[in-house]
Amino acid sequence: MTSAPPRAEALSLDQVTKTYERGGAAANRAISLTFQPGELIALIGHNGAGKTTLLSQIIGTVKPTSGDIRYGPSSLVAAPDLARRIASMMPQMYAPLTGVTPRQAITSIARLRGLSVADAKRAALDLIDALDIGEWKDTGGEKLSGGLRRLTSYAMAVVAPPPVLLVDEPTNDVDPVRRPLIWRHLRRLADDGHTVVVVTHNLLEVQRAADRYVLLQNGAVLVDNTPRQLAQQVRTAALTVSVRPGAEIPLTPPAAAHAVEDGQLTLDLEPAQIPAAIEWVLHLVDTGAADSYSLAPASLETLYEGITNGR
Ligand SMILES: Nc1ncnc2c1ncn2[C@@H]1O[C@H](COP(=O)(O)OP(=O)(O)OP(=O)(O)O)[C@@H](O)[C@H]1O
């Protein structure tokens, strides 16, 4: 099986709707999006928003109830075999690795995608290096940790990569050192001209690495924008203060929004309010009203709530 690799084309979704037979409400509602070769797109949304359903329809394991998915001029809904050739998907569940090592599993997939024995072995080792999992390359799959299984599943999805890569929560369970390795690798795939769609819940990673993000809510597209737009909304900071039980707060805080929870006072600050807030909190510490404080960028989860709850 050494046919020429399929050429890169735009992937367009036109009014894609999916209602599962026993599911009741639609899991995807009239989704229209176009993904271009070279784009790294983050697909985000709460649990049950319809992200996996969307990827499954692109790869052809779930058939849309209505609408079409095209790769260039060809309908993937009409030709699911084409979908399997042009796309690969890293599922949310671990790949079954019982009885095989990461190196064997990755090499076998590379062979199935048409590489020669030598090229498949090389491609597998290159990925093992890129993900820094060489220490476990010959360890039986059943002995691997969750994070290592996830990394191996990722490598299986992207070895000898077809034009479209659909990756469902690749950094879940993965340690903080290797998470950026995955994102760096995804970036390289996009820069090489692949269309890369990544489901993630980590907005910081989206901000750092993606070209574009699509936020799904209740199966529909709520936002389709650049991470720059996300960044504009997280310039605010959060000042968290541990207030002594029963202490009087001597001065009015410089920001209106605050909440007390278990002795913790939280102020959401605009950048211009930060100097006054620091002066205020130092006064609280000096007078013994507060034990400690921390200033940090506002949580992206808060932003996430803000985007989705306001609509
Ligand atoms: N095979 C199925 N049969 C019936 N309903 C399903 C099926 N798969 C998903 N659903 C429902 O479709 C909706 C969307 O699910 P989906 O898994 O696509 O969401 P998701 O955004 O990927 O969620 P998560 O972040 O939890 O993985 C949910 O209400 C889910 O319960």
Side-chain angles (χ1 to χ4, degrees):
M1 201 185 83
T2 47
S3 53
R7 45 183 280 198
E9 305 258 19
L11 179 70
S12 32
L13 289 79
D14 181 16
Q15 297 288 311
V16 174
T17 295
K18 176 66 192 178
T19 307
Y20 289 104
E21 272 164 32
R22 272 171 283 170
N28 283 163
R29 300 161 194 268
I31 292 183
S32 294
L33 293 165
T34 300
F35 300 139
Q36 297 293 345
E39 265 193 311
L40 173 46
I41 303 116
L43 190 58
I44 62 177
H46 284 304
N47 293 126
K51 305 177 295 295
T52 300
T53 298
L54 194 63
L55 299 194
S56 306
Q57 290 178 103
I58 296 170
I59 194 83
T61 52
V62 169
K63 196 165 188 272
T65 308
S66 61
D68 200 6
I69 301 171
R70 293 185 167 273
Y71 186 68
S74 314
S75 167
L76 298 182
V77 179
D81 53 324
L82 175 62
R84 312 276 155 76
R85 278 204 303 126
I86 60 103
S88 73
M89 179 161 166
M90 173 188 172
Q92 212 176 78
M93 289 168 300
Y94 301 124
L97 291 172
T98 310
V100 284
T101 67
R103 193 211 307 239
Q104 288 168 334
I106 303 162
T107 307
S108 320
I109 298 288
R111 290 283 292 140
L112 284 175
R113 295 205 179 116
L115 296 195
S116 68
V117 173
D119 287 350
K121 283 184 177 171
R122 194 169 318 116
L125 285 177
D126 284 350
L127 261 167
I128 285 167
D129 274 354
L131 300 173
D132 191 19
I133 54 172
E135 197 180 331
W136 301 277
K137 66 180 184 288
D138 296 320
T139 303
E142 59 286 344
K143 293 187 199 139
L144 296 174
S145 70
L148 286 163
R149 280 174 203 223
R150 185 84 59 188
L151 286 153
T152 306
S153 297
Y154 172 76
M156 290 163 74
V158 299
V159 71
V164 175
L165 298 160
L166 310 168
V167 190
D168 205 342
E169 302 196 25
T171 56
N172 262 14
D173 326 310
V174 174
D175 65 54
V177 173
R178 289 181 177 81
R179 293 169 80 103
L181 299 183
I182 292 183
W183 281 105
R184 200 172 304 155
H185 190 259
L186 288 167
R187 176 78 266 160
R188 202 182 317 149
L189 288 166
D191 289 347
D192 286 348
H194 297 271
T195 304
V196 184
V197 186
V198 188
V199 171
T200 179
H201 289 280
N202 189 320
L203 297 192
L204 193 55
E205 291 177 347
V206 172
Q207 250 190 29
R208 284 200 198 120
D211 297 316
R212 172 180 171 190
Y213 78 98
V214 172
L215 173 61
L216 292 187
Q217 189 186 32
N218 296 329
V221 175
L222 186 62
V223 182
D224 177 6
N225 213 320
T226 60
R228 209 177 311 123
Q229 181 262 348
L230 259 185
Q232 281 162 3
Q233 297 181 50
V234 290
R235 258 195 238 131
T236 49
L239 177 67
T240 304
V241 187
S242 291
V243 180
R244 286 242 167 90
E248 289 263 318
I249 305 294
L251 293 172
T252 313
H258 64 277
V260 181
E261 241 173 62
D262 297 334
Q264 295 238 310
L265 188 67
T266 301
L267 277 71
D268 292 323
L269 301 166
E270 293 306 317
Q273 295 170 313
I274 292 174
I278 290 179
E279 203 175 312
W280 172 78
V281 78
L282 290 176
H283 182 74
L284 254 59
V285 172
D286 275 353
T287 57
D291 292 323
S292 60
Y293 65 93
S294 65
L295 181 69
S299 133
L300 287 163
E301 302 315 316
T302 312
L303 167 74
Y304 196 12
E305 292 297 317
I307 294 174
T308 54
N309 290 342
R311 306 193 187 205

